[in-house]
Amino acid sequence: MPPPHVVFNAPGAFNQLDRFATLLDSLPAGTSVAVVMLRGSLCPVTVGHVQGFIEARKLLLGEEAGVGRPANLEHFGAVLGLISLNSDNHVSTKLAEKGQKSISYSDRLKLVKLAVAEHMWMDIDLSNLKIGASETLSTLQARWPRLSFVKLTMNGADDVLKYRKWTQAGPEHRLLTLGRRGDTEAVIKAAVSAGLDLDAGNFIMIPVRRAARCA
């Protein structure tokens, strides 16, 4: 059971931690675990969104030869993928401007659950269960105190380019960028021009074979 100081006030919170138990319980003490987080509308979630997590996991674990991995990126023994959904108000307003109808939060949540069902290292972020985004890592750390959890925020290259998100990257705010045709090269060029060291492991580009907008 989790320590008493951890507040679980959301149905299903225990089930989520149990979902990760098979993966995390067997890891040696001191293992670093990458926690890849993606927040977006996902209206609806697509194969591309899930594939982005899969490609990020391969890169972080160093599973695929020939994929550019930052030289100074630490070794990770496991990867968790967590998805957060934007609110109904945000999504409906955004799509209304395009003349499109939105999918309700509850239905988007169900679709994400179905999309990640076979990947036991992925789930909805705890913040979607009303625990609060700032509690996600501390909740995991409390359940598995002998492991070290490292947060990495994932965005699509188009979004990173639009909002110049490479300017936010650093040791305390590590970013993963999903490559996207037409945007990847522009992002890399802008990040390097801004003085970012792409080998430091704070701003990481992920080549994706099935790219999708993370929105």
Side-chain angles (χ1 to χ4, degrees):
M1 294 291 288
H5 66 276
V6 178
V7 178
F8 289 92
N9 56 5
F14 288 106
N15 291 339
Q16 182 180 53
L17 293 183
D18 290 342
R19 177 179 176 83
F20 295 147
T22 300
L23 172 63
L24 301 180
D25 285 351
S26 61
L27 294 177
T31 298
S32 290
V33 179
V35 183
V36 178
M37 296 183 166
L38 167 68
R39 184 175 189 88
S41 301
L42 281 80
C43 189
V45 63
T46 67
V47 170
H49 290 120
V50 177
Q51 188 65 27
F53 275 96
I54 292 172
E55 296 297 333
R57 181 174 180 270
K58 288 179 182 178
L59 185 147
L60 293 170
L61 295 178
E63 289 185 343
E64 193 168 9
V67 174
R69 194 176 190 275
N72 298 316
L73 181 63
E74 68 265 50
H75 172 75
F76 293 105
V79 174
L80 300 181
L82 295 173
I83 296 174
S84 297
L85 298 177
N86 289 329
S87 69
D88 276 340
N89 183 60
H90 175 89
V91 177
S92 60
T93 300
K94 175 181 171 182
L95 292 185
E97 293 173 353
K98 301 178 181 180
Q100 301 174 0
K101 292 184 178 180
S102 63
I103 302 173
S104 71
Y105 179 93
S106 60
D107 285 342
R108 284 183 287 130
L109 193 66
K110 292 174 184 175
L111 290 172
V112 170
K113 282 285 190 180
L114 288 172
V116 305
E118 65 181 285
H119 304 290
M120 296 303 290
W121 53 278
M122 291 183 65
D123 207 346
I124 289 291
D125 187 356
L126 291 173
S127 64
N128 280 126
L129 298 174
K130 311 304 181 185
I131 291 178
S134 63
E135 295 292 330
T136 302
L137 259 66
S138 60
T139 297
L140 290 166
Q141 195 67 69
R143 172 74 178 259
W144 290 280
R146 58 194 182 81
L147 304 179
S148 176
F149 294 91
V150 179
K151 175 185 175 182
L152 299 105
T153 302
M154 187 162 68
N155 296 280
D158 54 331
D159 187 66
V160 171
L161 189 61
K162 180 178 180 180
Y163 296 105
R164 297 174 54 84
K165 290 189 175 181
W166 58 84
T167 61
Q168 305 168 18
E172 303 302 318
H173 188 205
R174 302 176 68 178
L175 301 179
L176 291 163
T177 298
L178 283 169
R180 185 174 177 82
R181 288 183 181 179
D183 294 320
T184 299
E185 294 76 11
V187 169
I188 293 174
K189 182 178 179 180
V192 171
S193 296
L196 259 68
D197 179 2
L198 298 186
D199 277 327
N202 296 322
F203 186 79
I204 305 167
M205 294 297 303
I206 308 165
V208 207
R209 280 178 280 276
R210 291 182 181 177
R213 288 183 182 274
C214 290

